[in-house]
mmCIF file of all heavy atoms in Angstrom:
data_model
loop_
_atom_site.group_PDB
_atom_site.id
_atom_site.type_symbol
_atom_site.label_atom_id
_atom_site.label_comp_id
_atom_site.label_asym_id
_atom_site.label_seq_id
_atom_site.Cartn_x
_atom_site.Cartn_y
_atom_site.Cartn_z
ATOM 1 N N ASP A 44 -7.045 -1.336 -62.355
ATOM 2 C CA ASP A 44 -6.771 -1.527 -63.789
ATOM 3 C C ASP A 44 -6.699 -3.012 -64.148
ATOM 4 O O ASP A 44 -7.261 -3.441 -65.153
ATOM 5 C CB ASP A 44 -5.482 -0.789 -64.179
ATOM 6 C CG ASP A 44 -5.632 0.706 -63.955
ATOM 7 O OD1 ASP A 44 -6.619 1.270 -64.445
ATOM 8 O OD2 ASP A 44 -4.793 1.300 -63.262
ATOM 9 N N ASN A 47 -10.235 -4.379 -64.185
ATOM 10 C CA ASN A 47 -11.009 -3.983 -65.363
ATOM 11 C C ASN A 47 -10.726 -4.918 -66.533
ATOM 12 O O ASN A 47 -11.634 -5.328 -67.255
ATOM 13 C CB ASN A 47 -10.640 -2.549 -65.784
ATOM 14 C CG ASN A 47 -11.546 -1.536 -65.140
ATOM 15 O OD1 ASN A 47 -12.536 -1.894 -64.512
ATOM 16 N ND2 ASN A 47 -11.211 -0.264 -65.289
ATOM 17 N N ASP A 48 -9.456 -5.239 -66.718
ATOM 18 C CA ASP A 48 -9.095 -6.148 -67.809
ATOM 19 C C ASP A 48 -9.661 -7.544 -67.559
ATOM 20 O O ASP A 48 -10.208 -8.174 -68.460
ATOM 21 C CB ASP A 48 -7.563 -6.219 -67.956
ATOM 22 C CG ASP A 48 -7.016 -4.991 -68.681
ATOM 23 O OD1 ASP A 48 -7.754 -4.419 -69.507
ATOM 24 O OD2 ASP A 48 -5.865 -4.613 -68.420
ATOM 25 N N ALA A 49 -9.527 -8.012 -66.312
ATOM 26 C CA ALA A 49 -9.992 -9.365 -65.991
ATOM 27 C C ALA A 49 -11.515 -9.470 -66.133
ATOM 28 O O ALA A 49 -12.036 -10.418 -66.724
ATOM 29 C CB ALA A 49 -9.569 -9.748 -64.579
ATOM 30 N N SER A 51 -13.661 -7.612 -67.864
ATOM 31 C CA SER A 51 -14.274 -7.346 -69.178
ATOM 32 C C SER A 51 -13.514 -8.046 -70.299
ATOM 33 O O SER A 51 -13.814 -7.830 -71.472
ATOM 34 C CB SER A 51 -14.308 -5.833 -69.449
ATOM 35 O OG SER A 51 -13.016 -5.355 -69.783
ATOM 36 N N LEU A 52 -12.510 -8.872 -69.940
ATOM 37 C CA LEU A 52 -11.643 -9.516 -70.938
ATOM 38 C C LEU A 52 -11.022 -8.468 -71.872
ATOM 39 O O LEU A 52 -10.853 -8.707 -73.065
ATOM 40 C CB LEU A 52 -12.418 -10.564 -71.753
ATOM 41 C CG LEU A 52 -13.065 -11.682 -70.943
ATOM 42 C CD1 LEU A 52 -13.945 -12.570 -71.822
ATOM 43 C CD2 LEU A 52 -11.996 -12.531 -70.234
ATOM 44 N N GLY A 53 -10.755 -7.325 -71.310
ATOM 45 C CA GLY A 53 -10.078 -6.260 -72.065
ATOM 46 C C GLY A 53 -11.009 -5.399 -72.910
ATOM 47 O O GLY A 53 -10.561 -4.414 -73.508
ATOM 48 N N ILE A 54 -12.292 -5.739 -72.940
ATOM 49 C CA ILE A 54 -13.212 -5.012 -73.841
ATOM 50 C C ILE A 54 -13.404 -3.555 -73.399
ATOM 51 O O ILE A 54 -13.693 -2.678 -74.215
ATOM 52 C CB ILE A 54 -14.572 -5.751 -73.935
ATOM 53 C CG1 ILE A 54 -14.352 -7.116 -74.567
ATOM 54 C CG2 ILE A 54 -15.591 -4.976 -74.771
ATOM 55 C CD1 ILE A 54 -15.526 -8.052 -74.464
ATOM 56 N N HIS A 55 -13.200 -3.272 -72.110
ATOM 57 C CA HIS A 55 -13.362 -1.874 -71.657
ATOM 58 C C HIS A 55 -12.426 -0.945 -72.426
ATOM 59 O O HIS A 55 -12.740 0.218 -72.651
ATOM 60 C CB HIS A 55 -13.143 -1.763 -70.139
ATOM 61 C CG HIS A 55 -11.714 -1.850 -69.707
ATOM 62 N ND1 HIS A 55 -11.004 -0.758 -69.277
ATOM 63 C CD2 HIS A 55 -10.851 -2.901 -69.666
ATOM 64 C CE1 HIS A 55 -9.775 -1.131 -68.962
ATOM 65 N NE2 HIS A 55 -9.654 -2.431 -69.198
ATOM 66 N N ARG A 56 -11.283 -1.491 -72.861
ATOM 67 C CA ARG A 56 -10.345 -0.647 -73.626
ATOM 68 C C ARG A 56 -10.947 -0.246 -74.976
ATOM 69 O O ARG A 56 -10.734 0.863 -75.445
ATOM 70 C CB ARG A 56 -9.029 -1.394 -73.873
ATOM 71 C CG ARG A 56 -8.256 -1.626 -72.615
ATOM 72 C CD ARG A 56 -7.049 -2.515 -72.880
ATOM 73 N NE ARG A 56 -6.409 -2.849 -71.631
ATOM 74 C CZ ARG A 56 -5.450 -2.113 -71.067
ATOM 75 N NH1 ARG A 56 -5.009 -1.039 -71.683
ATOM 76 N NH2 ARG A 56 -4.933 -2.460 -69.922
ATOM 77 N N VAL A 57 -11.680 -1.170 -75.598
ATOM 78 C CA VAL A 57 -12.319 -0.880 -76.901
ATOM 79 C C VAL A 57 -13.413 0.170 -76.697
ATOM 80 O O VAL A 57 -13.516 1.135 -77.459
ATOM 81 C CB VAL A 57 -12.919 -2.179 -77.504
ATOM 82 C CG1 VAL A 57 -13.603 -1.898 -78.833
ATOM 83 C CG2 VAL A 57 -11.840 -3.236 -77.659
ATOM 84 N N TRP A 58 -14.225 -0.006 -75.657
ATOM 85 C CA TRP A 58 -15.304 0.964 -75.380
ATOM 86 C C TRP A 58 -14.706 2.355 -75.151
ATOM 87 O O TRP A 58 -15.209 3.359 -75.670
ATOM 88 C CB TRP A 58 -16.088 0.555 -74.133
ATOM 89 C CG TRP A 58 -16.865 -0.722 -74.237
ATOM 90 C CD1 TRP A 58 -17.433 -1.253 -75.378
ATOM 91 C CD2 TRP A 58 -17.190 -1.624 -73.168
ATOM 92 N NE1 TRP A 58 -18.073 -2.429 -75.067
ATOM 93 C CE2 TRP A 58 -17.943 -2.680 -73.733
ATOM 94 C CE3 TRP A 58 -16.915 -1.646 -71.802
ATOM 95 C CZ2 TRP A 58 -18.421 -3.743 -72.960
ATOM 96 C CZ3 TRP A 58 -17.399 -2.697 -71.033
ATOM 97 C CH2 TRP A 58 -18.140 -3.723 -71.618
ATOM 98 N N LYS A 59 -13.640 2.392 -74.356
ATOM 99 C CA LYS A 59 -13.046 3.699 -74.012
ATOM 100 C C LYS A 59 -12.449 4.362 -75.252
ATOM 101 O O LYS A 59 -12.597 5.569 -75.453
ATOM 102 C CB LYS A 59 -11.986 3.522 -72.914
ATOM 103 C CG LYS A 59 -12.597 3.244 -71.547
ATOM 104 C CD LYS A 59 -11.536 2.884 -70.513
ATOM 105 C CE LYS A 59 -12.169 2.713 -69.133
ATOM 106 N NZ LYS A 59 -11.254 2.173 -68.133
ATOM 107 N N ARG A 60 -11.788 3.550 -76.082
ATOM 108 C CA ARG A 60 -11.198 4.115 -77.313
ATOM 109 C C ARG A 60 -12.284 4.684 -78.214
ATOM 110 O O ARG A 60 -12.140 5.764 -78.775
ATOM 111 C CB ARG A 60 -10.403 3.044 -78.086
ATOM 112 C CG ARG A 60 -9.075 2.762 -77.472
ATOM 113 C CD ARG A 60 -8.053 2.179 -78.439
ATOM 114 N NE ARG A 60 -6.743 2.217 -77.787
ATOM 115 C CZ ARG A 60 -5.912 3.245 -77.840
ATOM 116 N NH1 ARG A 60 -6.216 4.313 -78.552
ATOM 117 N NH2 ARG A 60 -4.762 3.223 -77.195
ATOM 118 N N ASP A 83 -7.493 6.418 -67.657
ATOM 119 C CA ASP A 83 -7.564 5.835 -69.014
ATOM 120 C C ASP A 83 -8.117 6.838 -70.030
ATOM 121 O O ASP A 83 -7.562 7.023 -71.114
ATOM 122 C CB ASP A 83 -8.515 4.618 -69.029
ATOM 123 C CG ASP A 83 -7.842 3.350 -68.556
ATOM 124 O OD1 ASP A 83 -6.619 3.387 -68.297
ATOM 125 O OD2 ASP A 83 -8.539 2.328 -68.452
ATOM 126 N N PHE A 148 -17.958 5.523 -66.597
ATOM 127 C CA PHE A 148 -18.173 4.576 -65.508
ATOM 128 C C PHE A 148 -18.143 5.277 -64.149
ATOM 129 O O PHE A 148 -17.715 4.697 -63.147
ATOM 130 C CB PHE A 148 -17.127 3.437 -65.568
ATOM 131 C CG PHE A 148 -17.139 2.722 -66.894
ATOM 132 C CD1 PHE A 148 -16.028 2.736 -67.732
ATOM 133 C CD2 PHE A 148 -18.276 2.073 -67.329
ATOM 134 C CE1 PHE A 148 -16.056 2.107 -68.968
ATOM 135 C CE2 PHE A 148 -18.316 1.437 -68.564
ATOM 136 C CZ PHE A 148 -17.207 1.461 -69.386
ATOM 137 N N LEU A 176 -20.138 7.696 -70.560
ATOM 138 C CA LEU A 176 -19.989 6.273 -70.889
ATOM 139 C C LEU A 176 -20.353 5.515 -69.631
ATOM 140 O O LEU A 176 -19.768 5.763 -68.570
ATOM 141 C CB LEU A 176 -18.535 5.981 -71.294
ATOM 142 C CG LEU A 176 -18.129 4.513 -71.504
ATOM 143 C CD1 LEU A 176 -18.917 3.877 -72.647
ATOM 144 C CD2 LEU A 176 -16.633 4.411 -71.795
#
Side-chain angles (χ1 to χ4, degrees):
D44 298 309
N47 268 351
D48 282 331
S51 75
L52 302 173
I54 296 168
H55 75 106
R56 293 173 187 271
V57 179
W58 294 330
K59 287 172 176 171
R60 283 203 168 272
D83 277 356
F148 304 117
L176 172 62

